[in-house]
Amino acid sequence: MGASFTQITSLAKRRGFIFQGSEIYGGLANTWDYGPLGVELKNNIKNFWWKKFVQKRSNIFGLDSAILMNAKVWEASGHVGGFSDPLIDCRSCKNRFRADKLLADYYNKEDMAEISEGLDAHELLAKLSDYQIKCPICGKRDFTEIRTFNLMFQTHQGVTQDSQSLVYLRPETAQGIFVNFKNIYHSSRAKIPFGVAQIGKAFRNEISPSNFIFRTREFEQMEIEYFCHPDNSLSEFKIWQKTCYQWLLDIGIRPELIKLREHEAKELSHYSQATTDIEFAFPFGWGELWGLAHRGDYDLSQHQKVSGKDLRYFDALANKHYLPHVIEPSLGVDRLLLALLFSAYHEDEVDGEKRTVLKLSNRLAPIQVGILSLTKKQILVAQKLADKLSDDYMVDLDVSGSIGKRYRRHDEIGTPYCVTVDFETEQDQQVTVRHRDTMEQKRVGLDQLGVYLEECFKE
Ligand code: GAP
């Protein structure tokens, strides 16, 4: 049986992965802060993604665009007109809900799009009525009409607060890529097919943030826009399906916990020829982890129209200008981190006692090497070792408490190797290296430790 939400949230708080945001002030609805271990895990996830999709790919280029953009970007992209959720109020208890969430709850599904995409407000209301769906708070059936609620956070730039100064916090990193398409292809001399990758914060004023870090109002995305010739776009889409799925296995997600879900025609945006979600088996059910969309030339043609700038690609061989099609793999960092915690969580029994182990891969583990000493006398040696190993690894010097408890703590936070300086070290110049999953212990000479660990951490 997999881990429950309570097991994961309690471990995350107790061990310093994730804390409630603004906790000492009573929190702020579903905001979360990443603690010392959480930020390491998050950075390792982002590095793993960057390495695979930017460093190791000669035709994918990195970008870090501004969060605040000209408001026209969001008019062109369709977010000002169409990026909204259906809002409904209960007249009886005055609570407010997402109408599609009420419907999804009725079906016991987390993914609202799967249930309600393609339904307009009128059809959605009719479904709530057909199924006699009640207010989850007061149990009455006295709902208002459905209104649309734009999900973008608005603010004003500068000292005036009028429509000229209106700016939005970006709801996706993707548009920063589209508006830089020409800059990147000219400066990098890129040839189609090529991609642009970006990692960054996105903000959505979600009506129902829920399930810990699964759905929040502030989150991080890792997005790629892959520009290709229209004739090859469907085959590129298929290649990306496989690439994304394989990457999730490579990062350590257990295969039985993920599946591909192709969107039905009624779920597709009007410009999309195909969309596939990679879903993860969260404790509340299958939920979208990674969205892969064929966006056609929708975004570039919209920006070309609204900005008045020619955004076509020039194919020198064919002596032709055209707007490329785009394949977009879009992955949430926070959602992936949550999936990794669920996937890595294990419990077993050692000497009649429960042991919790986070089986994260060596590369992802927030602490890669724990350095322990048995008595105060050995602290100096352990300290020296920690200083040396911290050049190559994230280390944690852990010198007090019973050795068993220290091993348990490191198992629970996913530290793959613990190195213990013990009573014999002074005489034989050896330390004990313990492996998290097998709990096997091996004596290794201090002069061999670097090489030994290097071997352990080889990909
Ligand atoms: N540019 C396309 C795009 O943003 P999306 O399906 O809305 O597509 C992509 O989002 C990914 O971002 C999702 O698969 C999910 O991993 C993550 N994501 C979206 N909304 C989120 C939220 N409110 N909280 C956490 N992660 C979210």
Side-chain angles (χ1 to χ4, degrees), residues 172 204 206 214 216 219 221 223 288-289 328 330 332:
E172 60 174 16
R204 296 181 190 177
E206 300 273 2
F214 177 83
T216 49
F219 56 98
Q221 289 186 313
E223 298 201 294
E288 177 186 333
L289 179 59
E328 179 195 64
S330 173

Side-chain angles (χ1 to χ4, degrees), residues 351-363:
D351 301 331
E353 273 187 37
K354 191 186 89 178
R355 179 178 86 120
T356 302
V357 196
L358 217 47
K359 293 191 176 177
L360 293 168
S361 68
N362 292 355
R363 219 153 254 294

Side-chain angles (χ1 to χ4, degrees), residues 83 171-175 204 206 213-221 223 225 277-278 288-291 293 295 328 330-336:
F83 192 57
E172 60 174 16
T173 63
Q175 297 305 323
R204 296 181 190 177
E206 300 273 2
I213 52 170
F214 177 83
R215 188 183 307 283
T216 49
R217 294 191 170 109
E218 174 181 345
F219 56 98
E220 227 171 335
Q221 289 186 313
E223 298 201 294
E225 305 303 326
D277 291 340
I278 304 185
E288 177 186 333
L289 179 59
W290 201 336
R295 299 180 69 105
E328 179 195 64
S330 173
L331 175 60
V333 181
D334 314 77
R335 214 173 264 191
L336 174 59

Side-chain angles (χ1 to χ4, degrees), residues 374-403:
L374 280 192
T375 68
K376 279 196 179 138
K377 235 180 110 190
Q378 299 133 5
I379 289 181
L380 267 182
V381 183
Q383 173 77 63
K384 260 175 111 174
L385 206 53
D387 285 347
K388 190 158 174 251
L389 291 178
S390 63
D391 281 340
D392 300 310
Y393 305 100
M394 192 70 198
V395 303
D396 177 69
L397 182 64
D398 194 353
V399 291
S400 59
S402 91
I403 189 78

